[in-house]
Amino acid sequence: MATPYITAPRPIDYDDYQDIKDFIEIYDTKNLTVISNDDFFSAPFKEYCPSGDCMKDCQNMTRVFASVPSSVKSDARGYGRPNSNTSVSLFGVCTNLDHITSVLPTYKHMDKARAYFNVNPSAKTNITKVTSKIASCYASTCDLTREPDKCREACSMDNFLADPTRLNFNLNNNNTGALACISRLCDNTCGLPYANQDVLGIGVLTTYYVQALTLLLMATAFLTSAGYQLWGKKRDKPRVFDKAKSPLETFLSAQSYFGVSVAVATFAMHPAHVDALNGYALVASSVMGFLPPVFTLMLLHSHGVKSWFSTGLVLASWTVNTATFFTLVNNLAGVKGDSDLLGVGLQSLFHTTSCGGSSAMALCHQLTGAEPLVYLDRFFNKNPIPNVKNIPILWALATTVLLVVAGRQAFQSWSGRDGSLAEATHKPGLTALAESRSAKNKISTCFSRKAVRFGLLLLTTTIFCLALAYEFRVVREYQKMDIIDKRGWSFGQVVAVLFWVPPLLDSAHALFKSSRTGRSAVDGEMEKTQPQRQGSEDYEPLAYAHLRASSNPTGYGSYSANASNSWSDGENLLTSAHIRPDTDVSVLRSITRRPVPYHHVGDHEQNEQV
């Protein structure tokens, strides 16, 4: 059975390793575990040493520093860990070669293992080569970390080795020795280098938060606006101010352009063959390419802001990001858990020739039980949310909403429904009044339509907000791995953030221009109405004109203030008010009515139609 040596404080002159005359395995950085001879020599040497000579295979650093060596029947979760069939790993065998050569001649059960270890005069030389290569791998790995000063002393070859043939397992000095070096590299994320910043660096991360925060603010504003207009102002459909349409469409266009750019860059990284770490970041970027634009498009359509140009841009962004998204998902769905994550994922971060193209980080799970890419491991194996198996739900949601919104827009365009509605709102006087009275009998129906409209908007917005929360979890898990350089404002990251400056400036310009246009129009109207009121000699108040017209008992009387304008009593006051050029300004402001063709008094057929 394995016996742990606890790393309790010891006298300075007390050398633990000198008193240990057994095989040593490392399962964490606080203990050294002694393996009995029987347990050690029961290791599957045939799988560990396919050449038949463990001295030779231990000099192959590609094999030693693999999360699971080829031909070994185990997975990374159990390989080299206690209470497993492979509790003695190849790394454990190679770091105990010196003790093997001393035990081998006298051990009585060495018949099966003797063939894998050749004890000859050159054995010490071969062991020295193995230990020096292992120490060199750890020193090189330390140099590649983001903060090499924190591990350089512990991982230097002089401190890593006790002598040329064995490692320094010093338990009473936390700054030197193999345990101290392994702890510096594996027990904190500072041992990892930064990931590919062009995929999901600080600039791309900032743009994600800008989009997410803006969308949440827009969703809140649109829901509040819809409720107020439907019930507060008694409108059938909510609308936005004219001055807000251009900035909203500009923001939607910027989202779509950014999504298309991200998709093109993703194709350049060969998503069908990308590693798990970069693939994870690219999945998050692809979701950003179709989810926020569709959400924004739905909000704009709910308030009548529609254009085929904007819809076409969203469709383009959705199309290219759909292709990259499913290419990545199909690739990452084949990840086989820890083995691929530790081997390929960590190797994609950094590798060195001293470790045979791998790095000492590949053994962190085996030697400490800690997973440097633990959050990445959760995405593929453990987390219910987010997980590579259910992330396509986000695509399904965005696709469903996009098809409904685009289909409804196409139906309304082809059927000419918007035109018929506009024509109906221009019906004159008594016809519009009759329709308004008829509408009063349908209050309950209208109320139910408003409730359904608002309910659908609320439901869809809530679901999209939950989808944004899911995407936030994906991005946040990537951040927790601490592989984003927060100071890495490279050229590409700066461009990614400045991409959003033009839409913001355009929005500010549109708002400023709209406010100035509205103020100029009001001033011009006042200038036109004042001279007319002062220079009209035949001016008569509108109320007096209405009394004169209504005094005719036949109902076909007429009134002409300046012998140029006339109207019939059949027209109501709202209709007749607009055609008088000398009408009081205050009355004009309170009465809004589109002009309709007036007719002569004697035309009875026209009057009956009105």
Side-chain angles (χ1 to χ4, degrees):
M1 297 295 293
T3 304
Y5 279 72
I6 306 300
T7 55
R10 306 293 180 88
I12 296 177
D13 58 349
Y14 189 93
D15 190 344
D16 296 273
Y17 186 81
Q18 297 298 330
D19 293 338
I20 298 175
K21 301 301 182 181
D22 293 299
F23 295 106
I24 301 299
E25 275 288 331
I26 302 175
Y27 296 133
D28 59 69
T29 56
K30 297 181 180 180
N31 298 281
L32 286 177
T33 303
V34 175
I35 306 295
S36 66
N37 293 344
D38 292 338
D39 289 339
F40 187 87
F41 287 116
S42 64
F45 295 111
K46 184 177 181 180
E47 298 177 8
Y48 291 170
C49 308
S51 68
D53 184 359
C54 287
M55 293 283 188
K56 178 180 178 180
D57 288 310
C58 282
Q59 297 183 47
N60 183 357
M61 293 297 105
T62 302
R63 189 168 182 80
V64 173
F65 286 96
S67 56
V68 179
S70 60
S71 74
V72 175
K73 299 176 182 178
S74 180
D75 58 13
R77 195 176 299 277
Y79 175 68
R81 301 301 299 159
N83 302 321
S84 68
N85 295 331
T86 55
S87 58
V88 177
S89 65
L90 177 60
F91 180 83
V93 172
C94 297
T95 54
N96 282 278
L97 288 176
D98 184 59
H99 188 59
I100 291 174
T101 57
S102 63
V103 173
L104 188 64
T106 60
Y107 185 59
K108 59 182 178 180
H109 300 295
M110 278 294 296
D111 295 338
K112 294 182 179 179
R114 194 181 302 274
Y116 295 97
F117 301 95
N118 296 321
V119 180
N120 51 50
S122 63
K124 289 293 183 180
T125 303
N126 292 332
I127 295 174
T128 300
K129 291 180 180 179
V130 172
T131 54
S132 62
K133 286 184 177 182
I134 292 175
S136 177
C137 174
Y138 273 94
S140 300
T141 300
C142 173
D143 291 337
L144 293 176
T145 60
R146 71 184 70 168
E147 298 178 2
D149 292 338
K150 292 185 176 182
C151 60
R152 184 170 287 127
E153 179 183 0
C155 295
S156 66
M157 294 186 65
D158 293 339
N159 293 326
F160 194 84
L161 297 177
D163 60 47
T165 60
R166 58 191 176 94
L167 274 58
N168 179 13
F169 295 114
N170 190 352
L171 296 178
N172 41 341
N173 190 339
N174 295 326
N175 296 320
T176 61
L179 287 178
C181 177
I182 294 171
S183 177
R184 297 291 192 280
L185 295 178
C186 299
D187 287 352
N188 60 85
T189 55
C190 293
L192 294 174
Y194 293 117
N196 188 342
Q197 300 301 289
D198 291 333
V199 178
L200 189 57
I202 185 63
V204 178
L205 184 67
T206 301
T207 61
Y208 164 74
Y209 283 118
V210 168
Q211 286 192 72
L213 181 60
T214 305
L215 276 175
L216 291 177
L217 294 176
M218 284 181 57
T220 303
F222 273 67
L223 283 175
T224 304
S225 172
Y228 174 71
Q229 292 188 57
L230 291 176
W231 285 284
K233 290 192 173 182
K234 307 298 182 181
R235 293 179 179 176
D236 292 336
K237 297 180 180 179
R239 292 288 186 268
V240 299
F241 295 109
D242 290 339
K243 63 182 180 181
K245 291 182 179 180
S246 177
L248 290 173
E249 290 184 333
T250 301
F251 176 70
L252 178 59
S253 300
Q255 286 181 308
S256 302
Y257 290 137
F258 187 78
V260 172
S261 302
V262 168
V264 173
T266 301
F267 279 120
M269 292 196 65
H270 308 289
H273 306 287
V274 72
D275 60 89
L277 181 64
N278 286 314
Y280 180 92
L282 290 174
V283 166
S285 300
S286 296
V287 173
M288 292 164 58
F290 61 74
L291 186 65
V294 174
F295 189 10
T296 305
L297 182 70
M298 184 274 296
L299 291 175
L300 296 188
H301 277 223
S302 70
H303 279 61
V305 182
K306 304 176 183 179
S307 71
W308 277 113
F309 178 74
S310 298
T311 304
L313 288 178
V314 175
L315 285 170
S317 181
W318 172 85
T319 300
V320 292
N321 281 283
T322 294
T324 59
F325 176 76
F326 280 102
T327 302
L328 290 166
V329 169
N330 290 334
N331 176 26
L332 300 179
V335 173
K336 300 177 182 178
D338 291 339
S339 178
D340 287 345
L341 293 179
L342 290 172
V344 181
L346 288 173
Q347 187 174 349
S348 68
L349 279 177
F350 62 149
H351 51 271
T352 171
T353 56
S354 299
C355 300
S358 182
S359 70
M361 298 293 293
L363 301 185
C364 284
H365 180 74
Q366 175 192 140
L367 300 179
T368 67
E371 168 59 79
L373 299 179
V374 59
Y375 299 103
L376 185 65
D377 176 49
R378 291 177 183 177
F379 177 72
F380 288 97
N381 300 305
K382 301 174 183 178
N383 271 1
I385 292 177
N387 191 284
V388 68
K389 296 180 181 178
N390 54 41
I391 198 172
I393 294 176
L394 302 182
W395 177 87
L397 167 65
T399 302
T400 302
V401 173
L402 178 61
L403 292 178
V404 171
V405 170
R408 189 169 183 269
Q409 183 179 0
F411 175 77
Q412 291 179 350
S413 298
W414 294 334
S415 62
R417 182 178 175 183
D418 291 339
S420 62
L421 289 176
E423 183 180 354
T425 58
H426 295 169
K427 292 182 179 179
L430 296 178
T431 305
L433 181 62
E435 290 185 355
S436 66
R437 290 178 177 177
S438 176
K440 292 180 180 179
N441 299 326
K442 302 179 181 180
I443 294 179
S444 59
T445 303
C446 185
F447 179 82
S448 62
R449 289 180 180 177
K450 291 180 180 180
V452 170
R453 184 184 300 276
F454 184 79
L456 289 176
L457 177 61
L458 177 62
L459 176 63
T460 310
T461 301
T462 302
I463 295 176
F464 266 108
C465 288
L466 292 176
L468 287 178
Y470 187 111
E471 173 70 355
F472 171 77
R473 285 286 302 275
V474 174
V475 175
R476 186 57 183 160
E477 297 290 283
Y478 191 82
Q479 275 188 279
K480 288 180 180 179
M481 288 186 282
D482 198 19
I483 52 179
I484 298 178
D485 186 3
K486 297 179 181 178
R487 298 181 180 179
W489 287 99
S490 61
F491 178 83
Q493 301 307 306
V494 174
V495 171
V497 174
L498 293 181
F499 188 91
W500 296 94
V501 173
L504 294 177
L505 292 178
D506 183 60
S507 300
H509 177 261
L511 293 174
F512 177 75
K513 184 178 179 181
S514 177
S515 63
R516 292 199 60 181
T517 303
R519 191 182 305 111
S520 301
V522 172
D523 295 342
E525 184 65 23
M526 292 297 295
E527 292 177 359
K528 291 180 181 179
T529 55
Q530 291 296 334
Q532 290 179 359
R533 182 172 181 177
Q534 296 174 359
S536 178
E537 296 179 357
D538 298 329
Y539 173 79
E540 182 175 2
L542 182 62
Y544 293 164
H546 177 62
L547 290 175
R548 288 186 56 187
S550 61
S551 63
N552 192 329
T554 62
Y556 295 100
S558 62
Y559 171 77
S560 178
N562 53 9
S564 62
N565 296 323
S566 65
W567 66 89
S568 70
D569 292 342
E571 290 286 351
N572 60 28
L573 185 60
L574 297 180
T575 306
S576 59
H578 77 280
I579 62 174
R580 291 180 51 81
D582 52 353
T583 303
D584 187 31
V585 175
S586 62
V587 179
L588 280 175
R589 291 179 179 176
S590 62
I591 300 177
T592 56
R593 180 65 184 166
R594 292 183 178 273
V596 297
Y598 60 86
H599 50 277
H600 295 287
V601 175
D603 194 345
H604 298 281
E605 183 177 357
Q606 291 285 346
N607 290 331
E608 291 176 358
Q609 290 180 0
V610 174

